Amino acid sequence: MYWCKIATTEKEFDDIAELNYETFVEEIPQHEPNEMRRKIDRFHKENCYIVVYKKTEIVGMLAFRDKRPFSLDEKIGKVELYLQDINCDSLAEIRLLAVKKPYRTGRVFFRLIQAVYSFAYHQGYSAVVISGTTREQKLYKQMGFEQFADAVGSEEAKFIPMVLTRKKFEQGLEKRIATGSHFSFYPGPVKQKTALSHTDLSHRSDEFRELFIRMKKQLQMLSGANYVATVVGSGTLANDIMLGQLKTRSVKNGLILVNGEFGERLVDQARNWGISFETLYSDWGTPYNLAEIEKYLDTGSFEWLLMVHGETSTGTLNPIEPILEITKRYNVKLCVDCISSFGALPFSMKELYFATSVSGKALGAMSGLAFVFSQQLVEDAKLPSYLNLAKYQQINPPFTVPAMLVINVIEALNHYPHRYKLLEERFKKLRDIKIVKNNAITTNNYPMIVTLQLPLELKHLNDDLKLNGIFLHAESTYLRSRNFVQLATIQPDFEEALNRFEEIVNYYTQVLQ
């Protein structure tokens, strides 16, 4: 099994110096021999080395460097003089491409090419240049490099200036996705395995109306809610519509519970609406304090309570039932953000005043539709049309809804209730992996996602997995600031992705020991 990482350990740097010597002293006579049989590059401290492993043995490598002048600048002058302006915004140089002789196969070069595309793209380079040895021109061309200047060097060691552009990075990554060698553990959007249909069906047609009604009925059956409104947009829009209703229909204060990023977003949205409310905070990942909630509601000052069910920022599932019991006791309307939990596990919205969800998360459909569930029909309110829930509760959609999104949701809903069991089984497999057992920050049964807080020695894991076509959920600011990474169970190729992830991580932790 071959995989890639960015070199960080002293052993890796020693292995690189040894491979450097074998390639650029013994095979390509660029440098003088020495007794140590090690060749440390003159730009070693400025290089970023990508290495290819076969299990735990380094079998190939190359180095990225973006400090000027490049070694190629020294051979031909400023490289920008030979390149198109679009490729000169952010340049890097690739050097020291080397693979051990027994491993000069398509599989090693394939991994190396994929890693180059991923690294260069995510670093934001506009192009990379290389001095390509004439002995390996076929390889460089396979990687996408093109010659841009005349050959330089001696007859024994002649090199051709070549460039790999950002367009090539993008094409390479697109090909990786198309061929199925790209995996993500994102909690949305969800990769779609089947082609889209009904792309040209008008939302004013009878056929669309039948599809739309069927989708609504399936959503009502799955949720237990009396009514569901469909909006073209994100979960943020659904929450704004819900908050708009609370703004226009409330006399007393509301109470918003917060124990993660998405609770804090609800607070921010409520402030933007100018709603009268108070906030009850808990530490991130800590369950809501039921005694404190009851203490607040016992004052009689609150008309509604708003909470997040699946707080994906920490992988915390906040139970609805005990809070519903309290709100019913004090005649307080319970409203719930179910954006990430609806479709992940069975629960009822029947007694929720409002609840929100979307198509592109646990349900497994495409992103693009948001849903507002309610106990009752609402009266028309003086709100902007696109935020007016009453308009969406009509039989026909008030605004354009793409039919392809509707049929896509119907197809996703057809997998229920079996999908509940599937996600639960996936979650159990995920929790059994060693890295998850050792680093998960929550242990409650939220079958959509787990959140890991990685130790210092694994701080580069996310970036290294990208080189191998594996993407964790780790780029959001709230995750980066806490050194969190997340793995969701909702992607259609989860099993294959998990096997690949576990295999690489097992070798990864071995080479770091």
Side-chain angles (χ1 to χ4, degrees):
M1 181 230 177
Y2 298 101
W3 59 282
C4 298
K5 78 179 287 286
I6 296 168
T8 56
T9 70
E10 289 304 316
K11 183 180 186 310
E12 286 173 330
F13 293 136
D14 185 62
D15 289 345
I16 286 168
E18 183 179 8
L19 183 53
N20 248 339
Y21 188 90
E22 292 173 0
T23 305
F24 300 108
V25 176
E26 296 181 334
E27 183 176 355
I28 303 174
Q30 287 183 259
H31 305 283
E32 293 297 320
N34 63 66
E35 293 182 358
M36 298 293 293
R37 299 193 75 253
R38 298 290 188 274
K39 178 67 181 78
I40 298 175
D41 183 61
R42 61 182 173 133
F43 297 125
H44 175 70
K45 292 184 179 179
E46 298 174 354
N47 290 339
C48 178
Y49 297 97
I50 294 177
V51 293
V52 182
Y53 276 94
K54 181 177 182 182
K55 296 184 177 179
T56 58
E57 176 191 3
I58 290 179
V59 297
M61 66 167 223
L62 57 77
F64 272 84
R65 178 172 171 267
D66 55 20
K67 297 279 182 68
R68 306 301 288 270
F70 296 152
S71 60
L72 193 52
D73 289 325
E74 297 170 353
K75 296 173 183 175
I76 66 172
K78 198 172 182 181
V79 297
E80 284 89 343
L81 298 175
Y82 300 86
L83 302 175
Q84 295 181 17
D85 290 345
I86 192 173
N87 296 324
C88 297
D89 290 341
S90 178
L91 286 169
E93 183 177 40
I94 289 179
R95 303 172 60 252
L96 310 177
L97 174 58
V99 176
K100 289 183 177 180
K101 286 184 179 180
Y103 298 100
R104 290 177 184 172
T105 66
R107 293 177 66 191
V108 175
F109 288 125
F110 176 70
R111 291 290 176 207
L112 203 52
I113 290 168
Q114 288 187 322
V116 166
Y117 288 155
S118 178
F119 183 82
Y121 177 81
H122 290 290
Q123 290 296 313
Y125 294 130
S126 55
V128 294
V129 295
I130 192 171
S131 300
T133 173
T134 53
R135 305 180 188 191
E136 299 291 351
Q137 286 306 292
K138 183 178 179 181
L139 167 64
Y140 297 128
K141 288 179 180 178
Q142 287 176 342
M143 292 177 74
F145 280 98
E146 296 178 355
Q147 182 175 347
F148 68 87
D150 294 334
V152 294
S154 65
E155 287 302 319
E156 293 80 13
K158 185 164 282 191
F159 299 91
I160 296 175
M162 307 186 80
V163 64
L164 186 67
T165 65
R166 187 167 184 84
K167 185 176 181 180
K168 291 288 187 181
F169 312 155
E170 293 169 348
Q171 289 173 344
L173 294 176
E174 288 170 3
K175 184 178 180 180
R176 190 170 196 168
I177 293 170
T179 56
S181 56
H182 171 283
F183 301 106
S184 92
F185 289 94
Y186 295 150
V190 180
K191 185 188 299 185
Q192 300 299 301
K193 288 289 194 177
T194 57
L196 298 177
S197 63
H198 297 75
T199 55
D200 60 346
L201 181 63
S202 168
H203 71 291
R204 300 301 182 198
S205 68
D206 289 339
E207 184 181 352
F208 173 86
R209 190 175 296 109
E210 290 180 10
L211 290 172
F212 191 69
I213 292 171
R214 190 197 316 173
M215 179 188 72
K216 289 178 69 172
K217 286 182 177 178
Q218 285 181 269
L219 288 168
Q220 286 172 279
M221 286 182 61
L222 194 65
S223 66
N226 293 329
Y227 301 97
V228 57
T230 302
V231 187
V232 178
S234 67
T236 302
L237 177 60
N239 283 340
D240 264 333
I241 291 173
M242 172 173 62
L243 287 162
Q245 290 298 310
L246 296 177
K247 165 76 172 178
T248 59
R249 301 180 188 283
S250 301
V251 177
K252 298 180 182 179
N253 279 357
L255 179 64
I256 302 179
L257 308 182
V258 177
N259 66 348
E261 171 69 15
F262 294 97
E264 292 184 1
R265 291 190 191 185
L266 288 175
V267 169
D268 185 59
Q269 287 180 268
R271 284 178 182 147
N272 292 337
W273 272 103
I275 298 175
S276 178
F277 70 97
E278 294 185 32
T279 308
L280 180 55
Y281 287 96
S282 302
D283 290 338
W284 276 43
T286 301
Y288 297 144
N289 188 317
L290 298 181
E292 282 292 311
I293 294 171
E294 186 145 16
K295 187 176 177 181
Y296 268 77
L297 299 189
D298 189 42
T299 64
S301 304
F302 298 95
E303 186 174 351
W304 52 268
L305 183 148
L306 176 57
M307 61 173 279
V308 176
H309 186 205
E311 181 51 82
T312 51
S313 61
T314 58
T316 300
L317 186 69
N318 295 310
I320 292 174
E321 292 76 11
I323 297 175
L324 181 61
E325 289 180 13
I326 298 172
T327 55
K328 286 166 66 176
R329 197 153 56 240
Y330 292 97
N331 197 29
V332 170
K333 301 178 179 73
L334 180 58
C335 307
V336 186
D337 173 340
C338 301
I339 288 168
S340 293
S341 60
F342 182 59
L345 71 168
F347 64 94
S348 175
M349 296 180 179
K350 186 173 183 60
E351 296 187 88
L352 303 182
Y353 188 65
F354 290 125
T356 55
S357 189
V358 293
S359 56
K361 291 192 181 290
L363 278 180
M366 284 185 63
S367 297
L369 294 184
F371 310 112
V372 181
F373 301 90
S374 58
Q375 282 183 324
Q376 60 192 44
L377 294 173
V378 300
E379 296 179 1
D380 201 0
K382 291 182 179 180
L383 290 167
S385 294
Y386 211 67
L387 298 174
N388 192 340
L389 181 60
K391 292 186 179 296
Y392 294 105
Q393 290 184 328
Q394 300 170 12
I395 294 176
N396 299 320
F399 312 111
T400 302
V401 176
M404 65 178 181
L405 295 181
V406 173
I407 194 67
N408 183 253
V409 170
I410 291 172
E411 290 169 354
L413 289 167
N414 288 339
H415 291 283
Y416 285 88
H418 173 72
R419 185 167 168 81
Y420 290 138
K421 184 178 180 181
L422 174 67
L423 296 182
E424 185 179 357
E425 290 172 350
R426 289 176 171 182
F427 186 66
K428 288 178 181 177
K429 290 179 184 177
L430 188 55
R431 287 193 307 184
D432 285 341
I433 293 178
K434 185 177 180 180
I435 191 173
V436 175
K437 285 181 177 179
N438 292 343
N439 300 286
I441 66 168
T442 55
T443 57
N444 62 352
N445 192 28
Y446 182 20
M448 179 183 171
I449 198 166
V450 296
T451 303
L452 314 181
Q453 189 166 39
L454 297 179
L456 188 61
E457 62 267 23
L458 296 179
K459 66 180 180 179
H460 299 298
L461 178 63
N462 180 54
D463 290 333
D464 288 329
L465 287 173
K466 286 180 186 177
L467 302 180
N468 298 279
I470 297 175
F471 292 81
L472 308 184
H473 187 225
E475 307 301 327
S476 297
T477 303
Y478 65 88
L479 296 175
R480 283 179 176 272
S481 65
R482 292 167 174 81
N483 196 30
F484 287 174
V485 299
Q486 296 184 314
L487 295 91
T489 61
I490 64 175
Q491 299 295 339
D493 51 6
F494 172 83
E495 285 77 13
E496 187 178 356
L498 189 64
N499 288 338
R500 178 76 176 159
F501 170 81
E502 187 174 16
E503 189 174 20
I504 290 177
V505 169
N506 283 341
Y507 291 128
Y508 189 90
T509 52
Q510 288 181 54
V511 302
L512 290 180
Q513 290 175 354

